[in-house]
Amino acid sequence: MMDFSAISEAYDRLQGRHVRTPLLEYGQINELLGGRVLFKAENLQRTGSFKFRGAYNKIAALDPQLRARGVVAFSSGNHAQGVAAAAGAFGIAATVIMPADAPQLKRENTRRLGAELVLYDRQSGDRKAMAEKISAETGAVLVPPYDDEMVIAGQGTIGLEVAQQLKEAGAHADLLLCPVGGGGLVAGISIALRELLDGVKIYAAEPAGFDDTCRSLEKGERVANAPGATTICDAIVTPEPGEVTFPINLANLSGGFAVDDLEVARAVRMLFEVTKLVVEPGGAVAFAALLAKKIPLEGRTAVVILSGGNVDLEAFQNNFGLDVTGA
């Protein structure tokens, strides 16, 4: 199992390339929830989500001759943009397999960042197999969205920053809630926090119907999601926990919570109205769990990861009842 040294090395690689996102606090939300809530705003990261960290670290760590062959990835959209931006920083080609129904904003931004898109049917296509085929045919290096130690280490730099920022503010954290898809983000964060902070409990948050990590943690082994479920949280829809990520999360996490689409919509709306932050549904599930009181604060301090903010304007208006036109 990887250790904290990989995260420390990743942080060195990212210096000058990424945004050290703020840890934000709002009195209105503290009062509502009866404790202290500190938001790690990765929606303000380059490409609008935490994914740039892992993609950049993976590509930066490659042997230069291997890196020159280009990269290939598969993604619902946020990892796609992270890979495209990271590849662009090194002047190499990137091909990304994306579902045809991915939000238009994510598709357009990935193309704008220079990647070639290959679209597939989310219900019938095998994105991993498609990416592996392209890698075998072209020599491009596969950059997985979560099941890779270098990707996990890059995401873990968020945990390192959280520990730094808590120390700078003279604050402590009792718990941390994190959105989970394949589990790479929370795995990396958990490794960093186990090294740098004492006593903090770490929880996963997932959409109902895609709560494979929550159920896997309860059972002690990887279990898959049943087919046919739907959710507005497109960014964190995965079939089952990762092979690399799950052992880390089983060792480090205290549990997990599932939230339904209505609870997520309420969280997105409150973040917009109170904090003035635009957060996509998948990026807001950790706050949704706290807002729905899946775990009560009771005077404690919670760090909440807001993992991304890539949401189409039309979807933002239609799904969350928000008039953002100024009319």
Side-chain angles (χ1 to χ4, degrees):
M1 189 180 294
M2 61 179 289
D3 60 24
F4 177 71
S5 64
I7 295 172
S8 181
E9 291 168 3
Y11 199 59
D12 289 341
R13 292 189 189 102
L14 280 164
Q15 292 309 297
R17 297 290 185 176
H18 82 305
V19 177
R20 187 181 190 252
T21 53
L23 201 61
L24 303 173
E25 184 175 10
Y26 301 87
Q28 184 176 339
I29 290 176
N30 289 348
E31 184 177 350
L32 175 68
L33 293 177
R36 192 175 185 188
V37 181
L38 303 173
F39 293 109
K40 182 60 169 168
E42 280 294 295
N43 57 310
L44 304 179
Q45 186 54 255
R46 283 193 62 183
T47 73
S49 88
F50 73 96
K51 288 289 193 176
F52 176 77
R53 296 175 184 258
Y56 186 88
N57 186 55
K58 171 69 174 179
I59 294 172
L62 293 173
D63 177 271
Q65 289 186 327
L66 187 61
R67 186 168 59 221
R69 299 177 186 175
V71 294
V72 60
F74 51 90
S75 167
S76 297
N78 284 338
H79 182 59
Q81 293 170 84
V83 169
F90 288 96
I92 61 173
T95 302
V96 181
I97 317 298
M98 287 183 71
D101 63 352
Q104 182 179 357
L105 177 70
K106 294 181 179 180
R107 286 183 276 121
E108 289 178 350
N109 283 347
T110 303
R111 287 194 181 100
R112 178 181 56 80
L113 289 163
E116 178 185 349
L117 259 59
V118 177
L119 302 179
Y120 77 102
D121 185 327
R122 191 193 294 266
Q123 302 304 318
S124 60
D126 186 336
R127 63 181 192 171
K128 184 178 180 182
M130 293 171 68
E132 289 173 344
K133 184 173 185 289
I134 291 171
S135 177
E137 291 174 348
T138 67
V141 179
L142 181 61
V143 181
Y146 50 84
D147 241 357
D148 180 277
E149 288 194 355
M150 288 295 98
V151 171
I152 294 168
Q155 321 306 25
T157 60
I158 294 171
L160 188 155
E161 287 179 4
V162 166
Q164 291 174 341
Q165 290 166 315
L166 287 169
K167 183 177 180 180
E168 290 164 4
H172 76 284
D174 300 292
L175 57 142
L176 179 141
L177 291 94
C178 182
V180 172
L185 172 60
V186 76
I189 289 173
S190 72
I191 291 170
L193 294 190
R194 289 288 173 258
E195 177 74 18
L196 300 173
L197 294 180
D198 292 327
V200 61
K201 292 186 176 181
I202 303 167
Y203 295 93
E206 297 175 290
F210 295 93
D211 55 340
D212 46 296
T213 292
C214 295
R215 292 182 291 107
S216 296
L217 291 172
E218 291 175 358
K219 194 170 182 181
E221 62 184 42
R222 294 165 69 220
V223 296
N225 292 313
T230 60
T231 178
I232 60 174
C233 302
D234 64 278
I236 52 174
V237 173
T238 52
E240 61 185 346
E243 293 182 20
V244 179
T245 62
F246 182 66
I248 299 170
N249 292 332
L250 183 62
N252 291 345
L253 271 58
S254 296
F257 308 103
V259 288
D260 62 35
D261 281 358
L262 181 57
E263 290 167 331
V264 173
R266 287 172 177 158
V268 170
R269 182 173 185 128
M270 178 168 286
L271 287 166
F272 178 77
E273 293 180 339
V274 175
T275 73
K276 313 309 177 189
L277 294 172
V278 174
V279 182
E280 65 187 287
V285 292
F287 180 52
L290 200 60
L291 189 61
K293 300 190 176 177
K294 306 288 182 178
I295 181 169
L297 268 189
E298 297 176 340
R300 296 181 295 173
T301 297
V303 174
V304 175
I305 307 297
L306 303 177
S307 59
N310 291 309
V311 57
D312 291 342
L313 178 60
E314 184 177 355
F316 198 63
Q317 292 176 266
N318 294 341
N319 289 338
F320 312 114
L322 298 167
D323 179 6
V324 294
T325 64

